[in-house]
Structures are given as structure tokens and as C-alpha cells.
Amino acid sequence: MKTLSIEVRPGLPRDAAEISQVHRLSWLQTYSGLIPHRPLNEMVDRRNAAWWRKATGGPSTLLIIEVAGVIAGYATLGLSRARALPQEGEVYEIYFRPEYQGIGLGRILFGEASSLLTSLGCRGLVVWCLDDCAHAGRFFRNAGGRDICEGMEDFGGKSLKKIGYVWN
């Protein structure tokens, strides 16, 4: 019987190319058909390995989840950008390679991100996702999030509604 290792750890500069690939694959799968083609590709192209190398030393925290040595997904987190909300922490992003979605890794990584924010003194957290991403909304509701606010996000002239899920 083989043992499968799963590890959550901070993203490092040496992980940049692999994180960039996770971002590319997950965004193209998740947002094709929702976000217009040109802005989506521009956003994906902008987040290349050099961008992620800088992000590993930036003000937000980058966590990765490895499965048997392969980076399956990542989460970025830090202080909430929504100053009108009482929640002090925010998970900015949580994405997985398509082949690692739906097998429980999201619960592990989200749990680690939430615990890290709590350990840093943040009371409560918020996550934003596009309203049209039904699977993301379902994930956050199943994780105990309450959808209490909404906003709009512009993508190349197309406005899409986003939902804010909160935990206290």
C-alpha cells in the first residue's frame, strides 16, 4: 500500500512557474465563457512566473498545497480589502488544477488559510467570488460562509456580480 503525501506550506520563489501554471489552468477552466476572452487571457498572461516570484515576497501570504510533490493548488490571503465589513481577514484567491478539484483538497487549504488568519489576530474573514460561479458559491456555503454582501467587478467592459461570503 502506498502513502500519498499532502502538504500545505508557504509558496516560495522556486514554486513560481508551477503556481503560474495552476493559475492559468484553473482560471481558463473556471472563467472561460464568463469573463470575456481578451481580458481573461490578459489576466492569465500577466500572472506569469515572474509575477508569482514577486508575489512570494509580497504583503499577502501565499499558501500552496502539494500532493505527492505536485503543487495542486494555492491560496492567497491577508487583511480584508472591504473596510466596511467587520471581518478583518480575507482569502483573496483559492484555486486548484482541474484534476485536483472536487476531492476535498479545498477544505484542507481553506482550513489552513482560515487558521493562519486567526493566528495572525484577524477576527473573521471574507471571501469574494463571482455570482455566476455556482461551484465556488456552493463550496463557500458548505464551508459555513454566509453570503451577506455583493459588489460588481469589471472585466473589459463587462460587469459581473460578485458575492461576499463571511465567517465570524
Side-chain angles (χ1 to χ4, degrees), residues 11-29:
L12 302 171
R14 70 171 189 252
D15 302 320
E18 203 170 349
I19 296 168
S20 177
Q21 186 65 9
V22 172
H23 177 265
R24 171 176 287 287
L25 293 170
S26 63
W27 274 56
L28 291 176
Q29 181 198 40

Side-chain angles (χ1 to χ4, degrees), residues 40-144:
L40 176 58
N41 284 318
E42 288 171 355
M43 291 167 67
V44 167
D45 290 344
R46 188 171 43 247
R47 297 272 196 103
N48 59 24
W51 190 96
W52 284 104
R53 210 170 346 282
K54 287 180 190 173
T56 61
S60 62
T61 299
L62 171 63
L63 293 178
I64 62 162
I65 187 165
E66 283 185 324
V67 177
V70 174
I71 296 176
Y74 72 90
T76 59
L77 54 131
L79 295 176
S80 175
R81 298 170 290 183
R83 300 290 182 223
L85 296 175
Q87 289 74 21
E88 297 173 335
E90 182 174 350
V91 175
Y92 306 129
E93 300 177 277
I94 183 166
Y95 290 104
F96 288 86
R97 291 178 183 273
E99 64 269 28
Y100 289 97
Q101 294 176 10
I103 60 172
L105 296 175
R107 285 190 305 274
I108 295 169
L109 185 56
F110 186 74
E112 290 293 322
S114 177
S115 293
L116 180 55
L117 286 169
T118 299
S119 76
L120 295 173
C122 292
R123 290 182 307 233
L125 73 96
V126 62
V127 176
W128 294 90
C129 73
L130 293 180
D131 189 36
D132 291 335
C133 289
H135 63 282
R138 192 169 39 257
F139 172 83
F140 294 124
R141 282 190 302 279
N142 288 341

